[in-house]
Amino acid sequence: MHVQVNTSNGIDNKETLDRWATEYLNEHFARFSQEVTSIEVQLTDENHVKGGGDDKRCMLEARLHKHAPVAVTAFAETQDQAFRGAAAKLTKALEHTFGKLDREHRDRETIRRDASVLPD
C-alpha cells in the first residue's frame, strides 16, 4: 500500500513524519491491504501563526480498488492526536464500506428457508 504525506508550512520534520506515517498506516491498515491501494495524508496547522487548541487537522483519503475513495478528517491539539484520530475514523469508515459491500454481494439464501432445519 502506497502512502503519500503532504504537510502545510507549519508542520516540521517532514522526512521523519513520512517514515513514521508510512510504517504506522501500513501496520494499522494491513488487514485492508488487498482492497486499499494507497492512502494520502494531509497534515495542516489551521492557524499556525496564532496557536490555540484543536488547530491541527489531519485528512486521510484511502483509495480503494474498483471503488470510490473514502476520506475522513480529524482536528486536535497536536498533529499526533489528529493523525491517530483520523486513522481511527478511517478504520471505522473502511469497516463500514467493506461490510456494506459484503452485504451487497452476499448470497441471499438464509437458514430460515432450509426445509431440513425448519421445525415440523
Side-chain angles (χ1 to χ4, degrees):
M1 176 174 34
H2 175 72
V3 175
Q4 180 180 342
V5 179
N6 301 312
T7 61
S8 68
N9 292 336
I11 307 294
D12 296 327
N13 300 325
K14 174 86 168 107
E15 291 175 19
T16 305
L17 181 61
D18 280 347
R19 223 176 343 196
W20 178 80
T22 299
E23 289 174 11
Y24 182 88
L25 292 174
N26 276 312
E27 181 180 319
H28 193 76
F29 294 106
R31 66 183 167 143
F32 300 116
S33 64
Q34 297 296 314
E35 295 91 1
V36 177
T37 58
S38 66
I39 296 178
E40 185 174 342
V41 180
Q42 292 185 2
L43 286 166
T44 58
D45 188 345
E46 295 290 295
N47 56 357
H48 66 277
V49 177
K50 297 178 188 176
D54 290 352
D55 66 335
K56 305 296 189 279
R57 178 178 70 88
C58 179
M59 191 279 298
L60 296 179
E61 180 179 311
R63 307 259 166 97
L64 309 179
H65 183 67
K66 296 185 180 183
H67 297 285
V70 175
V72 296
T73 303
F75 293 89
E77 288 186 32
T78 67
Q79 71 184 32
D80 183 59
Q81 290 172 336
F83 181 84
R84 291 176 191 271
K89 285 184 176 183
L90 185 58
T91 299
K92 286 184 179 182
L94 291 174
E95 287 171 345
H96 175 78
T97 298
F98 294 129
K100 191 173 180 180
L101 290 173
D102 285 346
R103 284 191 303 274
E104 289 172 2
H105 300 296
R106 196 179 305 153
D107 185 9
R108 298 291 183 200
E109 291 300 315
T110 69
I111 194 169
R112 287 180 250 166
R113 295 186 190 136
D114 187 353
S116 66
V117 184
L118 293 175
D120 293 328

